[in-house]
Amino acid sequence: MKNWFRVSLFILLILFRGSDLLGQGFDPQLDPPNIVIIFADDMGYGDIKALNPLSKIETPALDQLVAEGISFSNAHASASVCTPSRFGLLTGEYAFRTPKAAQGISGFAPLVMQENRHTMARFLKNAGYRTGIVGKWHLGLDWVTKDGKPAVLDAESGHSNVDYSQPVSAGPNDFGFDYSYIHPASLDIPPYVFLENHRILDPEVILTTEVYPIRKENTEFSWDKKHSNDQAVYWEKGVWWRQGEMAPSFRVEDCLNEITAQGLAFIQRQSADSPFFLYLPLTGPHTPWLPSEEHKGKSGAGLYGDFVMDIDQVVAKVKEQLQGQGLLENTLLIFSSDNGAYWPEEEILLYGHDSNRGVRGQKGDVWDGGHRVPLLISWPKGIKEKATYPGLVSLTDLFATFGDLLDHELPESAAIDSYSFLPVLQGDTGFVSRTEMVHHSSSGMFAIRTQEWKFIDGLGSGGFTYPGRLDPEKAGPSGQLYRIEVDPYEKENRYTDYPRVVEQLKSQLELIVGQN
């Protein structure tokens, strides 16, 4: 009798535990959540009002995500520029392990991923998800050309050898996406076209300069003019794009709206009968800064800040669409950015707005401003209380976290730089998922951080902040060491004070980088 009671009690406890997990949305077999990743382009942690009370930008939709979910105060992109960061997100692997993916690429570059590459989309598709990407791809495409040679842009004429009447021979649909509607690269890089399931829409291309004047009467050059040549459209600071081919119906100023509309249409085609995954990488607030008329002049951070308000509105529209279809409750809604904001010291002084909220550097840099990003996760069914997680997290970690959430084992050799932080979503903000992380700048300068230290294998920013690289002085340090635990702004180089720490971290970094 006593044994029977114990067994019955044990069974009841198991059932109660399972019911509780299901109530929290954590049952991977019976109730898998939808997953939507909204991925901003060049947006800083400090732009979001709820993460930075001194922000000069109103971001009500993003503030609401903070209020109803989990915000990560120590989250980092796997690199500080577009292509390697996006590669890391989708593969769960540092981009430097795949040389083609380790740097920024043009819109005509071939695929940077191998054909058999495991991706988050492929994994979720195999787990029963309908998968889609709508927005900026920037991982290369295998274009079909008129002369059979690799795709190339002639910088002088603005024309390429691409045959736009033909679908690309390889692209996102080959890596687990059931549906794709993409712009090839950043919105200041040609070609300016949309591709739906690898086929170019409106393929009779023209040049951007046939629609847009290169200069306006009141054009004044600013610090960002260095990124464009004399043939590029340049109207004012932040409002420029390179000359090149463009679909006749494509309009640069409407690109974000088109991506948003197609993303909402993808959600509209879904139902509660089957889980779905939408990767929604936006083209803003990356240059060109072309905010909507609704938000122009409404922020305290110039055109950039106005454009961030458009990004906030995208979040609001996605939530509204999910809510209207009864899908929001069981949707894991994730917002992040591919790297820190391109926001130099001149802009901080001009507007009194610190887009990267105090940390040193900006996009491209090996310093934290290059790669610390906002990471917000909301899930009404699974996350019941607001929380802030201070632990170290990389965007590569989303892959393993999804696997853990669904109780699906990752394929062998997949997502090797991904560490699950599922317990954080379950309420354990003291959980430690990783103890170190490698950073990778735009020029290939590496760093490694632990909870206490950050070692940078070189001098300078490694990126867009001057000086990018410095030669060591005689008897001076050849690298940088910051006690990040007490010096989060990387102000005091302790390289010569702690030679053993330098030696240890340098060896650790070389070991990880050498594991290709």
Side-chain angles (χ1 to χ4, degrees), residues 108 129 136 157 174 176 208 293 373 382 413 421 450 464:
F108 295 101
Y129 278 68
K136 172 180 170 177
S157 70
D174 297 301
T208 55
E293 289 299 321
V373 293
S413 77
F421 56 83
T450 63
F464 296 154

Side-chain angles (χ1 to χ4, degrees), residues 75-80 84-85 88 93-97 365-366 368 371-372 392-397 417 419 434-441 444-450 453-457 505-516:
H76 300 260
S78 61
S80 55
S85 172
E93 185 175 301
Y94 291 132
F96 59 76
R97 302 191 189 284
D365 295 352
V366 75
D368 275 11
H371 44 77
R372 187 179 73 151
L392 194 59
V393 166
S394 169
L395 295 186
T396 61
D397 297 336
D417 298 306
Y419 297 84
R434 58 162 66 232
T435 56
E436 86 283 323
M437 180 186 297
V438 172
H439 303 303
H440 175 204
S441 81
M445 187 180 288
F446 288 100
I448 186 170
R449 83 188 305 125
T450 63
W453 298 99
K454 180 176 178 182
F455 165 71
I456 300 173
D457 197 14
L505 291 176
K506 185 176 176 66
S507 296
Q508 191 175 352
L509 175 62
E510 290 174 348
L511 179 64
I512 295 172
V513 173
Q515 292 174 341
N516 290 341

Side-chain angles (χ1 to χ4, degrees), residues 238-256:
V239 185
W240 61 270
W241 52 98
R242 296 169 180 88
Q243 181 193 34
E245 292 160 325
M246 181 176 75
S249 59
F250 190 97
R251 291 296 178 268
V252 176
E253 63 272 25
D254 295 332
C255 183
L256 181 64

